[in-house]
Amino acid sequence: MNPEVANEIENRQQEPTPERKPYIPLPPPAPPSPSYYEELRRRFPPPPPLPPDAGRLPGDPADRANHDPAQEKPPFKPCHLFFYGSLMDPEVLQSVLGLPELPVLQKGWVTGFTIKMWGIYPALIPKDGDTKVMGAVWKVDEPSQFLRLMEYETEAYKWCPCTVHLCDGGVLPESRTFIWAGDPASKDLEDGSFDLERYQKYFKPSVVRKHTTE
């Protein structure tokens, strides 16, 4: 080996090792602000939970075991409907349902209710006691007729079961009538009674004409 090269190597080996600077880690990034997480939750809301029967095929034994016939909607069957307002007039009922002939109604009453007025229309309100509400009853044979009467009554009313006592002494259990669907204490209701003759004189013509032209 060249003497000069050997001396250079020896001199370098004898030089002190330079001191290394200690490692200083970078500071952690600042945490996101709460609004950042709120924005993420707004943009990517969690998926809704799966229903208990998710993935279950129709006819699964678990379905049959938990089947409750009482929860099924019963099929329509002919029933008597008790009317206590404008539908006590056979011509109004005929016009609303588009019946080919004038229907024959029977007079009767129900108990367990009272009458309040919603504008010009009466509203039947459940009430304890034996107070009689007079009206008329007619048998509904077709589900389409019942649905049409529900449309006429609007969502302000709902049907409920009742027992109709006929003026000739008969009794019609398992009948139905339409009652007020809202709060019985609603400010929309007022004390009063339905005047059929006044309705027939001032309001019936427009109602019959409307449904006749539909």
Side-chain angles (χ1 to χ4, degrees):
M1 178 182 294
N2 190 315
E4 293 181 359
V5 174
N7 291 335
E8 180 67 21
I9 293 175
E10 184 178 356
N11 291 336
R12 289 188 178 185
Q13 290 177 345
Q14 293 176 357
E15 290 179 356
T17 303
E19 183 179 357
R20 293 185 178 181
K21 295 182 179 180
Y23 171 74
I24 302 177
L26 295 175
S33 63
S35 60
Y36 172 79
Y37 292 108
E38 293 176 1
E39 180 66 16
L40 285 180
R41 285 192 290 267
R42 186 185 68 82
R43 291 190 180 186
F44 308 102
L50 293 175
D53 58 351
R56 186 180 298 167
L57 297 175
D60 188 281
D63 288 336
R64 294 193 293 270
N66 297 327
H67 176 67
D68 184 3
Q71 298 300 320
E72 292 184 353
K73 185 177 180 180
F76 175 84
K77 61 180 181 179
C79 63
H80 289 88
L81 263 180
F82 177 77
F83 305 124
Y84 53 92
S86 59
L87 293 173
M88 290 190 293
D89 187 307
E91 291 183 348
V92 174
L93 182 59
Q94 180 187 29
S95 176
V96 170
L97 294 180
L99 300 174
E101 299 179 356
L102 200 65
V104 177
L105 284 74
Q106 296 176 275
K107 293 183 178 181
W109 73 86
V110 294
T111 59
F113 300 93
T114 188
I115 288 286
K116 287 191 175 183
M117 295 300 296
W118 181 46
I120 65 171
Y121 295 102
L124 204 60
I125 307 294
K127 182 181 180 180
D128 294 334
D130 298 327
T131 303
K132 292 182 180 180
V133 175
M134 302 300 298
V137 65
W138 181 73
K139 188 176 182 182
V140 179
D141 291 315
E142 301 294 336
S144 59
Q145 295 174 339
F146 188 77
L147 292 175
R148 184 67 189 91
L149 291 171
M150 290 181 63
E151 293 177 0
Y152 176 77
E153 295 289 353
T154 75
E155 294 182 355
Y157 296 82
K158 62 182 179 180
W159 72 267
C160 80
C162 66
T163 297
V164 180
H165 301 266
L166 299 176
C167 292
D168 63 7
V171 178
L172 300 175
E174 299 183 2
S175 298
R176 297 182 181 185
T177 190
F178 289 99
I179 67 173
W180 180 249
D183 183 359
S186 171
K187 295 181 179 179
D188 294 332
L189 301 177
E190 298 178 348
D191 293 334
S193 59
F194 180 71
D195 188 336
L196 180 59
E197 292 185 359
R198 180 174 179 271
Y199 175 85
Q200 291 170 329
K201 181 177 180 180
Y202 294 105
F203 304 103
K204 172 184 172 179
S206 61
V207 174
V208 172
R209 183 167 56 251
K210 173 186 175 183
H211 288 88
T212 302
T213 57
E214 287 182 350

